[in-house]
Amino acid sequence: MRRITLMQYLIEQERQRDWINADLRLLIEVVSRACKAISIAIGKGDLAGILGGAGSENVQGEAQKKLDVISNEILLEANEWGGHLAAMASEEMDHPHQIPHRFPRGEYLLLFDPLDGSSNIDVNISVGTIFSVLRCPEGVTEPSDAAFLQPGAAQVCAGYAVYGPSTLLVLTLGQGVACFTLDRETGSFILTKNALRIPEDTGEFAINASNMRFWEPPVKRYIDELMAGKGGPRGRDFNMRWVASMVADVHRILTRGGVFLYPRDTKDPKKAGKLRLMYEANPMAFIVEQAGGAATNGRERILGIQPTELHQRVAVILGSKNEVERVSAYHAA
Ligand code: AHM
Ligand code: MG
């Protein structure tokens, strides 16, 4: 079988299908190279002294791990000089990072969660990188937060890397979803799955059940019914999984179906959820929809939400279509 590298795949998309241009191709290649560098750093772990806390906090008041900071630096440095970006925004930075004046500017905005699932780093469980690409609004030369506040439906590309037993890169350009596996010997990402589809029905769900007492009634009702199994209203047993790395949970759903929920809860009523809209929920929602699944906050399609803040949080329910629609119906009831 012909091995198709990420670079070949992108060049083919550009040449034959006109789905991307040279700048977007460069952007994806650069992000993939940064993910490779992050994967190598993670693989060294304690040998390189990079586990543990960084002794700092990010804009959301969360303690940063050394690898959060290292991954953020890797992505910034890799993407600064290529001329494909107008600015970058990250979970780990209060405001957008501007492209230094000595480099040319491009038309794209890049957003990322450099290391998703940070609580899993020190225990050697899968973590990942999530990214989203938007177009810079016309006439904007120094993009501030406002330039990034576009609904997820405006994304031109989204993807994630999972650093697990293998390192994978999953990508959508708005024409389906492709998955690449890092060949550690040649250093190339190789296309290993194309046109991924999430089964519409599933027997598997993912939620942090320790928050149960804080959930809103529609979510409580949905999970109660799943937990009741064969003897309950659904008439069958369901299985539960929770990795606590969104990338790993979403990747499982992309592979064999399932529904993922991080609902709004009353633990901290000021927060609309735990996950961040711009660089966690939006890219994942784009990928999931492109694979035939659905993504909602319970009341509204994630990709339709007009953002008001760069780091805003949102409830997330995504995965197999029929289950996501059921949860939405419970919210509407
Ligand atoms: P992070 O970006 O700070 O790592 O937080 C996001 C992570 C998600 O990957 C995961 O789904 C969730 O937080 C886990 O939350 P919890 O610790 O409540 O299980
Ligand atoms: Mg995250």
Side-chain angles (χ1 to χ4, degrees):
M1 203 181 81
R2 184 164 85 98
R3 277 164 63 100
I4 300 171
T5 65
L6 174 65
M7 199 192 285
Q8 284 170 324
Y9 172 87
L10 294 173
I11 288 174
E12 276 170 25
Q13 305 300 311
E14 188 185 339
R15 230 185 248 156
Q16 296 169 10
R17 303 203 172 84
D18 217 17
W19 287 343
I20 57 171
N21 59 26
D23 271 2
L24 186 55
R25 170 162 63 83
L26 177 64
L27 187 162
I28 296 165
E29 281 171 17
V30 170
V31 169
S32 80
R33 243 175 279 148
C35 291
K36 214 184 317 177
I38 296 170
S39 169
I40 291 167
I42 290 171
K44 288 185 181 156
D46 255 340
L47 297 177
I50 50 171
L51 301 186
S56 50
E57 276 188 358
N58 66 13
V59 61
Q60 6 242 330
E62 297 159 341
Q64 289 176 306
K65 299 276 185 183
K66 284 184 198 162
L67 269 168
D68 286 322
V69 177
I70 293 169
S71 305
N72 196 52
E73 286 299 317
I74 289 175
L75 279 156
L76 290 180
E77 276 175 27
N79 280 288
E80 251 180 8
W81 54 272
H84 51 285
L85 287 184
M88 292 177 252
S90 160
E91 177 176 328
E92 304 304 335
M93 302 182 303
D94 301 13
H95 297 293
H97 175 90
Q98 302 301 326
I99 302 299
H101 287 291
R102 62 183 185 281
F103 300 126
R105 310 273 176 100
E107 60 171 314
Y108 295 107
L109 300 172
L110 174 65
L111 298 99
F112 45 81
D113 176 356
L115 207 72
D116 182 59
S118 306
S119 71
N120 279 326
I121 295 170
D122 293 346
V123 289
N124 203 28
I125 291 173
S126 296
V127 288
T129 297
I130 310 173
F131 67 95
S132 161
V133 181
L134 294 166
R135 274 199 184 81
C136 187
E138 273 190 39
V140 175
T141 48
E142 298 270 324
S144 61
D145 289 19
F148 286 81
L149 302 183
Q150 306 176 35
Q155 291 172 103
V156 291
C157 164
Y160 63 79
V162 201
Y163 312 113
S166 322
T167 288
L168 306 178
L169 188 82
V170 171
L171 189 70
T172 186
L173 299 161
Q175 307 281 348
V177 182
C179 176
F180 302 82
T181 304
L182 179 63
D183 179 336
R184 295 186 208 268
E185 277 149 33
T186 63
S188 299
F189 277 103
I190 307 293
L191 181 67
T192 40
K193 280 197 190 99
N194 210 348
L196 271 82
R197 296 304 289 173
I198 300 174
E200 290 189 357
D201 290 299
T202 183
E204 208 160 66
F205 66 101
I207 193 163
N208 182 345
S210 70
N211 294 324
M212 187 178 287
R213 66 192 182 284
F214 303 113
W215 294 338
E216 291 183 319
V219 172
K220 178 94 172 45
R221 172 185 168 194
Y222 176 69
I223 299 295
D224 279 348
E225 289 180 4
L226 302 188
M227 299 286 263
K230 250 199 175 94
R234 300 297 301 269
R236 61 190 170 109
D237 290 336
F238 286 80
N239 185 33
M240 191 176 85
R241 286 284 180 277
W242 184 249
V243 184
S245 285
M246 190 195 199
V247 276
D249 280 311
V250 169
H251 192 69
R252 184 187 59 253
I253 289 170
L254 225 63
T255 308
R256 67 179 190 213
V259 57
F260 169 97
L261 304 95
Y262 213 118
R264 183 183 194 127
D265 62 41
T266 56
K267 196 160 49 172
D268 183 350
K270 287 196 297 295
K271 290 184 186 162
K274 174 175 182 186
L275 299 173
R276 275 58 52 120
L277 175 63
M278 301 294 298
Y279 39 79
E280 291 179 325
N282 272 343
M284 290 312 201
F286 190 20
I287 292 166
V288 164
E289 283 199 6
Q290 283 295 316
T296 173
N297 65 1
R299 295 171 174 92
E300 200 180 348
R301 183 181 168 226
I302 298 273
L303 295 182
I305 298 173
Q306 173 60 51
T308 53
E309 280 172 47
L310 188 58
H311 298 287
Q312 93 186 55
R313 294 174 190 263
V314 67
V316 177
I317 298 149
L318 59 75
S320 291
K321 205 174 188 159
N322 291 338
E323 291 304 308
V324 175
E325 282 173 3
R326 179 182 283 268
V327 185
S328 295
Y330 288 5
H331 279 79

